[in-house]
């Protein structure tokens, strides 16, 4: 039996009305995604929330309730991969409390610095979230200190559930809500609110292949965890759920689908190019489901009004570069050309001129002379080239080949990065 009800969610929403910590984020139609999947797609822009994610909702609700119930508390501790960290830091500072946040050493630098900027003392511990969580628990060593869990807390879950209420108000004709799932606090809260207010509206959880603990838990009928989840969506790489959130999802969720990291990368790029919105991996996970024809058909989304939640926008610049490079490779807009030459002066310039003549951009070039399969006096020039897509790539290859050079193209260069 769940310990979070729609009354708890409504109480959280009323609490937000008296504060400027939590904003009501907009819903915006996506023409590109609508055309892509044949549905009316409206994006819930929660990445525009303060701190760049939905997390202040749950953190502010929990800390506000804590201050009301236990005025002697002067410090909170949390563990987070980044977004919950910022939410707790912001809410604690607003409430006049100190905060200590433990983050895994792999947490993106942008999230670490942002958490510090909101007033928290940041401790980096462990390679993955679970190790950061274990260390954080040891820091709750004072009667005036309390732990604020990222998802195993009814007040946190109720705060996240206010997004579901907003979706129903802003998109009253919604048929299906797509929600990313990590620890389950967001999905559990949203599903609780939506199913109570509009039982016919479906709520579908979305996970990535490298962190699909919900689908595995539902199949097993019990909680399944992963010690080292592997996904570019670091915000949902919790490695598992709690009894609280799993119970809510079992009770209220209409289903769960699993997307690939490739689709998440493609969704990040599409949202950036078409919607002009920059989101992180976890923030793009729900939209990624709309890029998988198998999922669109399985859920029969065509003709429906679908609202994917863009739950976070705190992407590290290095991670963004890697994701965009991967997506460009998938779209054949980044290709590796290997050209066999007589190793004499001027050849590199000649081939570069041929490539440039086709309006393609050379990113890098390397000169290979020492491979065992090379004849004496020959060399390979390996160009990393940016193109407009497959047709443009073929024109570049043909131009080099017509000039008398043996050339091979390779479009899987992201696989060994």
């Amino acid at each position: 039996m769940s310990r979070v009800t729609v009354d708890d969610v409504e109480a959280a929403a009323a609490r937000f009305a008296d504060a400027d910590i939590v904003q009501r984020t907009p819903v915006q139609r996506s023409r590109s995604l609508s055309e892509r999947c044949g549905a009316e797609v409206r994006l819930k822009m929660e990445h525009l929330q303060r701190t760049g994610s939905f997390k202040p909702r749950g953190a502010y609700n929990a800390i506000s309730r804590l201050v009301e119930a236990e005025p002697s508390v002067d410090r909170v501790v949390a563990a987070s991969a980044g977004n919950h960290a910022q939410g707790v830091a912001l809410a604690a500072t607003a409430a006049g409390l100190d905060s200590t946040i433990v983050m895994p050493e792999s947490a993106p630098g942008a999230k670490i610095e942002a958490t510090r900027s909101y007033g928290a003392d940041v401790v980096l511990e462990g390679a993955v979230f679970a190790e950061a969580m274990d260390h954080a628990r040891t820091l709750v060593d004072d009667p005036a200190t309390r732990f604020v869990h990222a998802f195993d807390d009814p007040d946190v879950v109720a705060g996240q559930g206010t997004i579901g209420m907003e979706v129903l108000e802003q998109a009253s004709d919604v048929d299906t809500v797509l929600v990313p799932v990590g620890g389950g606090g967001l999905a559990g809260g949203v599903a609780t609110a939506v199913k109570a207010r509009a039982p016919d509206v479906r709520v579908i959880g979305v996970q990535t292949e490298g962190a699909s603990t919900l689908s595995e838990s539902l199949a097993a009928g019990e909680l399944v965890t992963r010690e080292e989840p592997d996904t570019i969506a670091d915000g949902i790489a919790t490695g598992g759920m709690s009894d609280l959130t799993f119970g809510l999802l079992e009770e209220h969720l209409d289903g769960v689908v699993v997307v690939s990291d490739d689709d998440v990368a493609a969704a990040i790029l599409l949202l950036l190019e078409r919607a002009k919105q920059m989101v992180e991996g976890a923030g793009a996970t729900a939209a990624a489901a709309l890029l998988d024809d198998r999922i669109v058909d399985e859920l029969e989304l065509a003709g429906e009004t679908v609202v994917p939640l863009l739950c976070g926008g705190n992407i590290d610049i290095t991670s963004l570069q890697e994701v965009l490079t991967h997506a460009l490779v998938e779209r054949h807009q980044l290709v590796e050309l290997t050209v066999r030459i007589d190793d004499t002066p001027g050849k590199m310039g000649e081939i570069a001129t041929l490539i440039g003549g086709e309006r393609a951009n050379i990113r890098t070039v390397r000169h290979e002379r020492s491979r065992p399969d090379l004849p004496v006096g020959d060399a390979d020039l390996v160009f990393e080239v940016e193109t407009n897509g497959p047709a443009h790539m073929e024109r570049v290859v043909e131009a080099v080949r017509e000039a008398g050079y043996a050339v091979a193209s390779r479009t899987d260069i992201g696989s060994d990065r």
Side-chain angles (χ1 to χ4, degrees):
M1 191 70 176
S2 68
R3 292 183 288 127
V4 179
T5 68
V6 69
D7 291 337
D8 299 319
V9 178
E10 290 173 345
R15 196 167 285 114
F16 298 162
D18 299 326
D20 61 359
I21 296 292
V22 177
Q23 301 174 357
R24 182 183 177 91
T25 55
V27 168
Q28 176 179 298
R29 182 176 188 267
S30 171
R31 179 177 299 166
S32 297
L33 282 171
S34 296
E35 293 175 351
R36 175 69 175 78
C37 67
E40 174 69 14
V41 179
R42 301 177 192 169
L43 307 172
K44 176 59 172 170
M45 317 283 271
E46 194 62 15
H47 65 298
L48 302 181
Q49 185 63 254
R50 287 193 65 179
T51 77
S53 88
F54 68 96
K55 291 293 189 175
R57 293 178 184 265
Y60 181 74
N61 191 50
I63 290 174
S64 296
R65 293 264 292 157
L66 179 62
V67 170
E68 293 168 5
E70 302 182 64
S72 63
V73 171
D74 59 18
R75 174 172 170 262
V76 294
V77 173
S80 169
N83 287 337
H84 179 62
Q86 295 172 67
V88 170
L90 176 67
T93 299
L97 304 182
D98 293 331
S99 58
T100 300
I101 313 295
V102 182
M103 305 175 74
E105 295 167 357
S106 58
K111 294 184 179 181
I112 294 171
E113 292 308 312
T115 302
R116 289 185 174 127
S117 75
Y118 290 119
D121 176 25
V122 175
V123 176
L124 299 180
E125 182 70 30
V128 294
F129 174 75
E131 293 174 358
M133 173 70 76
D134 290 342
H135 182 68
R137 293 288 195 186
T138 70
L139 303 182
V140 187
D141 54 2
D142 184 279
T145 299
R146 293 290 181 273
F147 188 80
V148 181
H149 199 285
F151 51 86
D152 191 22
D153 183 322
D155 292 326
V156 168
V157 173
Q160 322 300 30
T162 58
I163 300 175
M165 296 174 60
E166 288 183 17
V167 167
L168 294 178
E169 293 164 1
Q170 295 170 303
S172 59
D173 58 343
V174 61
D175 296 299
T176 300
V177 180
L178 299 175
V179 192
V181 182
L186 173 62
V190 168
T192 297
V194 169
K195 302 307 283 189
R197 286 277 191 90
D200 292 337
V201 174
R202 291 190 300 175
V203 182
I204 304 295
V206 187
Q207 292 195 302
T208 58
E209 293 170 346
S212 57
T213 54
L214 174 56
S215 58
E216 292 165 7
S217 296
L218 290 171
E222 60 183 8
L223 283 175
V224 174
T225 61
R226 290 194 185 190
E227 291 186 6
E228 297 185 9
D230 182 17
T231 175
I232 63 172
D234 61 276
I236 56 174
T238 60
M241 296 154 288
S242 66
D243 288 333
L244 167 66
T245 56
F246 183 53
L248 290 170
L249 296 175
E250 275 193 308
E251 182 177 350
H252 299 300
L253 208 63
D254 292 291
V256 58
V257 296
V258 178
V259 299
S260 69
D261 274 1
D262 287 348
D263 281 339
V264 173
I268 291 173
L269 187 59
L270 183 147
L271 291 166
L272 187 59
E273 286 184 320
R274 301 299 182 87
K276 313 307 177 189
Q277 303 297 321
M278 186 167 72
V279 299
E280 61 187 279
T285 297
L290 300 175
L291 301 181
D292 187 324
D293 293 338
R294 175 187 55 82
I295 291 175
V296 171
D297 291 342
E298 175 188 331
L299 297 179
E300 299 181 341
L301 296 177
E304 288 197 341
T305 296
V306 182
V307 179
L309 305 189
L310 307 187
C311 63
N314 296 314
I315 188 166
D316 183 87
I317 296 301
T318 300
S319 299
L320 177 62
Q321 182 180 30
E322 292 176 354
V323 166
L324 294 182
T325 296
H326 184 78
L328 288 171
V329 170
E330 287 293 309
R331 287 160 45 158
H332 291 190
Q333 289 182 261
L334 188 60
V335 60
E336 187 176 270
L337 300 182
T338 300
V339 184
R340 181 65 54 87
I341 62 168
D342 293 327
D343 196 9
T344 55
K347 294 296 184 181
M348 183 181 295
E350 181 181 337
I351 296 166
T353 299
L354 292 169
I355 293 171
E358 294 298 324
R359 312 294 294 176
N361 184 53
I362 297 172
R363 268 195 178 186
T364 65
V365 60
R366 67 181 187 271
H367 203 151
E368 295 189 351
R369 296 183 173 93
S370 58
R371 283 173 37 188
D373 60 329
L374 282 170
V376 175
D378 283 1
D380 280 343
L381 292 177
V382 184
F383 296 87
E384 190 175 274
V385 179
E386 294 175 344
T387 74
N388 293 331
H392 189 199
M393 178 191 73
E394 290 302 325
R395 291 199 303 273
V396 173
V397 170
E398 190 60 27
V400 176
R401 187 172 287 130
E402 286 182 353
Y405 294 99
V407 56
S409 62
R410 178 177 170 223
T411 56
D412 62 342
I413 58 177
S415 63
D416 56 3
R417 287 178 176 274

